[in-house]
Amino acid sequence: MSSTTQLSSTTQPSSTAQPSSPTPIEVPRGLKGVVVTETGLSDVRGLEGFYHYRQYSAIELAEQRTLEDVWQLMLFGELPDPAGRSAFLARTAPLRRLPDALRPLLPALAAATAHGGPLSALGAALSIAAADRGVRPLYDTAPERRVEDALFATALVPTVLTALYRLQQGEQPVEPRDDLGHAANYLYMLTGEEPEPAKARAIEQYLISTVDHGFNASTFTSRVIASTGADLVACLVGGLGALSGPLHGGAPSRALDTLDAIGTPDRIDGWIREHVLAGDRIMGFGHAVYRTEDPRSRMLRGIARSFGGELVDLAVQVEARVEAILAELKPGRELHTNVEFYAGVVMHLCGLPRDMFTPTFAAGRVIGWSANILEQAADPKIIRPAARYTGPAAPQPLPADRAA
C-alpha cells in the first residue's frame, strides 16, 4: 500500500497511521476493508456470499473432497489424485504421534490448565514440541524445512488437543491410528471409539469449511508474527490466542448456549425481542464481511438437517425468527447466521463436548495459518503499522522524585 493511497470510511471512526512519509494515511477503525498485502491462498466475497481456496469454491471442496486434499491444496497449490492423497496420508500419519519429550509433560500441562480447557495448554505443548524438534526462526530456515515444520505442527495439533482433553477428564490419551483420515482420527482420539462414518464426514466438512477465511483476526495475527521472522510454531501460537476470543473462534459454544437459553419454540419470539431491544449481541449471527447468508452456515444447516432432531428444529426456527424480528424492529439492518451458529449444533450432534468446540475450530484453521505463514515468510517486509497518539501533550516536565 503506497504512502499516497487515501482510504476512508463513512460508517466508522478512522485512525491516522503516521509512517515515515510526511503524508498521513487515513484508514478505517479496525483496518476494515484495508488491503495490507497480496495472497494467492483464499478470498472472501462478502457481498456475494462466496469464498474460495486457491480458486476453488471452499464449499464445493467441503462437499466433494477430503481434508487431506484441501491441506495439500493450501500448502502446495494443487489438488492431489488418489495416489497423491494416499502418499500424503502416509507422510503425515507418523507426525501425529506425541513426541517423546512432550508425552510425560502433558499430565502437568493438563492439570495446570484444567479450568481453561485444552486450548489454553495447546500453545505451551506446541512450543515444547517445537523446541524438541529444533524448529528455527523462519528467517533462518530454508523453504523446504518451513514446509516440514508446518506439516509437523499441523499434524500434531489434533493429537495434543484430544490428549489434553482426556487427561483433564481423568482419562488416558488415545494413540492415533495411521489407517484413519485426519478428521476421523480426531474423533477417535477424543472418544476412544471409531466414529460413525456420517459423523466423521460431518466433522471433516466442518474442518474443511473453516480451514481459511481471508485475513481474519487470527490469520492476520499469524502473519504479523511471521513477518518478524519468528519460528513457525510461535506464529501458530499467536493465531491460537486470537482464535480463543469470543468474537472470533470462541463463539460456537456460546451460540449453542443461546439455543439452550431459549429452550422451546414458544419462547423464541419473547427471548429474541428482549435481547434485540436491549442491544445485546446474539451469538452466531452477523459477520464482519458477509452482507448476505454465510455460505458455511448454509452448508452446516444442511448437515444438521441430515441428522435431524429437536435441537435442529429449534435452531432452524430461531434462525428464521431472528431475521424476521430484526427486519421488524431494525428495518434495513440485515443479520444472518454465521458459521458458528450451526457449527455448534453439528459438533454437538457428532458427540463433541462444548469445551472442544473452539479447539476443533483450531484443528482445522491451523492448516490455513500454516499456509499463510509460509506465504508471509517469503516477504522480507515486516508488518509495522502506526497509531495516532491521543494522550497528554508531550513533552511534559518530569515530576520531581519526592523519595530522592
Side-chain angles (χ1 to χ4, degrees):
M1 186 165 59
S2 71
S3 60
T4 59
T5 302
Q6 297 293 317
L7 298 170
S8 62
S9 171
T10 58
T11 59
Q12 297 189 53
S14 62
S15 300
T16 301
Q18 297 184 359
S20 57
S21 167
T23 304
I25 303 169
E26 291 290 334
V27 298
R29 186 179 177 212
L31 301 182
K32 184 174 183 180
V34 175
V35 175
V36 297
T37 193
E38 296 179 347
T39 180
L41 296 173
S42 71
D43 189 31
V44 181
R45 300 177 188 170
L47 297 179
E48 300 175 34
F50 171 80
Y51 74 114
H52 64 90
Y53 304 152
R54 292 191 184 271
Q55 85 259 13
Y56 300 113
S57 163
I59 297 303
E60 289 184 6
L61 287 167
E63 291 173 342
Q64 301 176 32
R65 289 287 191 151
T66 68
L67 183 59
E68 285 79 9
D69 288 355
V70 175
W71 192 354
Q72 291 178 81
L73 173 67
M74 294 300 290
L75 289 191
F76 306 121
E78 295 181 351
L79 286 168
D81 57 20
R85 182 184 305 134
S86 298
F88 187 76
L89 180 59
R91 181 182 183 182
T92 54
L95 301 177
R96 298 172 180 165
R97 298 165 194 153
L98 292 172
D100 291 339
L102 177 60
R103 187 182 298 273
L105 301 178
L106 282 181
L109 284 175
T113 57
H115 296 294
L119 200 65
S120 61
L122 177 60
L126 287 179
S127 296
I128 293 169
D132 176 63
R133 176 179 168 84
V135 174
R136 301 289 299 157
L138 294 163
Y139 186 82
D140 300 324
T141 308
E144 296 79 9
R145 177 56 190 255
R146 294 170 186 169
V147 171
E148 292 301 323
D149 288 342
L151 291 173
F152 164 77
T154 305
L156 187 59
V157 163
T159 307
V160 173
L161 284 172
T162 54
L164 287 168
Y165 176 78
R166 289 182 66 85
L167 287 166
Q168 289 173 347
Q169 303 304 309
E171 300 176 318
Q172 289 301 306
V174 174
E175 296 297 323
R177 280 174 44 180
D178 291 352
D179 62 313
L180 292 177
H182 207 61
N185 197 63
Y186 177 66
L187 287 177
Y188 169 71
M189 291 188 296
L190 183 65
T191 65
E193 299 178 358
E194 186 168 340
E196 299 173 18
K199 292 181 178 180
R201 181 57 182 156
I203 294 301
E204 181 172 47
Q205 290 180 281
Y206 166 67
L207 292 173
I208 292 172
S209 73
T210 55
V211 156
D212 201 32
H213 203 246
F215 264 40
N216 55 82
S218 57
T219 297
F220 184 55
T221 299
S222 297
R223 290 190 71 129
V224 169
I225 299 172
S227 79
T228 73
D231 74 75
L232 184 137
V233 170
C235 304
L236 295 178
V237 172
L240 287 170
L243 189 76
S244 68
L247 301 185
H248 192 12
S253 62
R254 293 172 184 252
L256 199 56
D257 290 343
T258 294
L259 297 178
D260 286 345
I262 293 173
T264 55
D266 60 291
R267 286 172 41 83
I268 294 175
D269 281 30
W271 191 96
I272 294 171
R273 288 180 183 278
E274 176 185 346
H275 286 78
V276 169
L277 292 173
D280 297 337
R281 180 185 294 271
I282 302 179
M283 302 304 287
F285 286 81
H287 194 272
V289 178
Y290 289 119
R291 292 299 172 264
T292 183
E293 184 179 28
D294 186 332
R296 301 169 299 177
S297 178
R298 181 170 58 248
M299 183 194 77
L300 290 168
R301 183 199 303 125
I303 294 173
R305 280 179 156 168
S306 72
F307 287 104
E310 293 183 1
L311 177 63
V312 177
D313 293 341
L314 178 64
V316 171
Q317 292 179 66
V318 167
E319 177 186 21
R321 292 307 298 158
V322 166
E323 293 183 0
I325 292 173
L326 192 71
E328 173 193 337
L329 299 179
K330 297 183 181 294
R333 181 186 171 192
E334 289 193 33
L335 195 68
H336 303 283
T337 54
N338 55 43
V339 65
E340 284 87 5
F341 186 76
Y342 282 105
V345 173
V346 168
M347 283 189 277
H348 174 77
L349 294 173
C350 290
L352 272 69
R354 295 189 195 196
D355 288 347
M356 289 300 288
F357 284 6
T358 301
T360 302
F361 194 165
R365 184 56 60 87
V366 71
I367 295 174
W369 292 338
S370 295
N372 273 276
I373 292 164
L374 295 175
E375 186 178 62
Q376 186 65 47
D379 184 348
K381 184 69 173 178
I382 191 172
I383 298 174
R384 174 58 169 90
R388 176 192 290 139
Y389 175 72
T390 59
Q396 295 288 339
L398 191 67
D401 187 351
R402 298 174 187 269

